[in-house]
Amino acid sequence: MAAPTITDIRAYVLRGGGADYHDQDGPHWIDDHIATPMARYPGYRESRQSFGLNVLGTLVVVVEASDGSSGFAVTTGGEPAAWIVEKHLSRFVLGATVTDLSRIWDQMYSSTLFYGRKGLVLNAISGVDLALWDLLGHVRAEPVYAMIGGAVRDEQPCYATGARPDLAVEFGFLGGKLPLHHGPAEGADGFAANLRLLAEMRAATGPDAWLAYDCWMSLDADYAIRLAHAAAEHGLRWLEEPLPPDDYWGYAAVRKALPPGMLLTTGEHEATRWGFRLLAEMGCADILQPDVGWCGGLTELLRISALADAHGLLVVPHGSSVYSYHFAFGQHNSPFSEFLMMAPAADEVIPMFHPQLLGEPVPEHGRLRIGQLDAPGFGVTLDPGLALARPYRRE
């Protein structure tokens, strides 16, 4: 029996929290004086929204097949990514069979090399790719994890990212990853404040909980190394993304200079197997953290994971909810997952992409169970009450 063909692809945008989790309307821990590359300018220090971190919004990609099946995905990208999907990428999707994921990916990537390679274009490609995997799962009545080889474990332990690692431990998570609040521009006082918060959280979580610092590209190598050594007495498990993502040489130097037992992680803002090849071959990290909604989608993430495994590296995707859950359950080198605490005060466990997805699973006592992912595709639906806008239509 011939596979169905793809008959339609549409790109919508949404505002507010969800896939673009920085697009929060009110006070939220994720936008509370967090260290960034822009913090060197005092006027952009208090809020990441002040320099436009939430400017894009959510991209929603919907695909339909000739048998009546449909699939969708959400990622960050908003209106600019919607233009790319409708005006450029759609030509490689329409009329293709639902199983042609590798060919479609290669055509999308190759055709956009002259203005793409990373960033917004890869977000758009990722959104299309994830929607196609969701569609294929509905055509086959299978969950995505089953289509990529099946699960290698029945439960997936998680750590929590947010402002309250102490509460995360109470909820059953492995531990918590804190946002770093002060960077080099805030001098010795900021450095000391970073250490005080870490000490407080170590006292509150006990000696065995994982604690990590997310530095969000905000440091230089000297500051990162000094912070790592000062934080060692508080049992910091890893330092995450301390440098700009293109400074591969700096990452290699920082990793070599870390205290014994401390790990260096990065990759949230990297893309494609070629970007991660540099991280792996130059010895830039112990754990790679691609975001499946930004790095090229699931098709590319599987390639990145194989490359990492050959270099003895773990792959723990950045956030991305069900899209990373289905991936991680099937990979031996992804033994735990990140869960973003998206409650404004990080004081309760709510779905990561709330309120956009229905049926989105959350960890129970800090663990995901494979039975939570058994619905076809990625197992979620788009809330029909959302105010979707379609700013562009293909010609």
Side-chain angles (χ1 to χ4, degrees):
M1 182 176 179
T5 57
I6 301 165
T7 57
D8 198 10
I9 178 170
R10 302 184 299 278
Y12 300 94
V13 297
L14 279 170
R15 299 303 316 191
D20 189 354
Y21 48 84
H22 292 290
D23 196 17
Q24 302 292 331
D25 292 329
H28 200 289
W29 70 263
I30 208 166
D31 196 38
D32 181 21
H33 194 118
I34 291 174
T36 76
M38 288 293 287
R40 69 190 67 171
Y41 303 103
Y44 298 108
R45 194 172 289 166
E46 291 300 322
S47 164
R48 294 196 281 188
Q49 289 190 10
S50 69
F51 65 80
L53 186 54
N54 65 325
V55 71
L56 290 174
T58 293
L59 168 70
V60 182
V61 178
V62 177
V63 287
E64 296 176 351
S66 57
D67 68 347
S69 301
S70 65
F72 84 98
V74 296
T75 185
T76 307
E79 189 169 327
W83 188 94
I84 294 169
V85 172
E86 295 270 6
K87 301 294 188 178
H88 193 172
L89 304 183
S90 61
R91 72 192 70 195
F92 309 114
V93 176
L94 291 170
T97 62
V98 296
T99 54
D100 283 346
L101 284 86
S102 292
R103 180 180 61 78
I104 293 170
W105 194 96
D106 184 67
Q107 291 180 345
M108 290 192 296
Y109 179 75
S110 298
S111 69
T112 56
L113 278 171
F114 71 100
Y115 71 103
R117 298 178 57 241
K118 297 186 180 185
L120 185 66
V121 174
L122 264 294
N123 287 30
I125 289 173
S126 300
V128 174
D129 182 74
L130 292 170
L132 292 173
W133 277 103
D134 191 50
L135 173 63
L136 183 60
H138 283 90
V139 168
R140 291 181 169 176
E142 284 189 276
V144 168
Y145 79 82
M147 296 192 297
I148 61 173
V152 298
R153 62 185 72 85
D154 295 328
E155 292 187 338
Q156 182 79 355
C158 301
Y159 75 90
T161 294
R164 297 295 303 273
D166 54 333
L167 294 182
V169 171
E170 291 182 13
F171 295 146
F173 290 95
L174 295 168
K177 183 173 70 187
L178 286 159
L180 190 75
H181 288 285
H182 308 282
E186 294 179 79
D189 289 344
F191 190 92
N194 290 331
L195 295 176
R196 280 196 304 272
L197 177 58
L198 184 61
E200 291 169 6
M201 286 301 165
R202 175 54 70 201
T205 59
D208 299 325
W210 294 6
L211 286 178
Y213 249 144
D214 184 352
C215 305
W216 210 77
M217 309 175 285
S218 64
L219 309 182
D220 53 51
D222 174 70
Y223 192 106
I225 293 167
R226 289 189 295 112
L227 179 64
H229 282 267
E233 68 173 287
H234 304 300
L236 190 71
R237 188 172 181 87
W238 73 71
L239 197 67
E240 180 167 318
E241 202 180 27
L243 309 178
D246 293 322
D247 188 3
Y248 305 103
W249 305 266
Y251 274 100
V254 170
R255 182 171 177 245
K256 290 178 182 177
L258 289 184
M262 189 179 295
L263 305 176
L264 186 63
T265 71
T266 193
E268 170 184 341
H269 295 102
E270 189 55 85
T272 76
R273 76 203 85 154
W274 296 283
F276 283 92
R277 177 184 175 183
L278 281 171
L279 291 176
E281 293 187 354
M282 292 183 65
C284 296
D286 300 286
I287 301 175
L288 301 180
Q289 299 169 307
D291 189 302
V292 66
W294 307 344
C295 74
L298 181 60
T299 299
E300 189 69 354
L301 179 56
L302 291 168
R303 297 164 178 154
I304 292 166
S305 179
L307 182 150
D309 197 28
H311 286 81
L313 298 173
L314 297 183
V315 175
V316 180
H318 169 256
S320 51
S321 183
V322 291
Y323 305 116
S324 65
Y325 301 159
H326 280 261
F327 161 82
F329 263 101
Q331 313 303 314
H332 286 291
N333 63 329
S334 300
F336 58 91
S337 291
E338 178 180 28
F339 183 77
L340 293 176
M341 299 289 284
M342 292 314 302
D347 55 357
E348 60 178 316
V349 179
I350 65 173
M352 199 184 301
F353 284 174
H354 174 82
Q356 293 175 352
L357 305 182
L358 301 180
E360 183 181 2
V362 298
E364 299 172 358
H365 306 293
R367 290 174 174 266
L368 290 160
R369 293 176 291 101
I370 193 61
Q372 293 175 277
L373 305 181
D374 277 345
F378 287 109
V380 292
T381 57
L382 197 63
D383 186 334
L386 295 171
L388 292 172
R390 188 181 180 189
Y392 304 104
R393 295 175 184 269
R394 61 183 183 276
E395 297 171 356

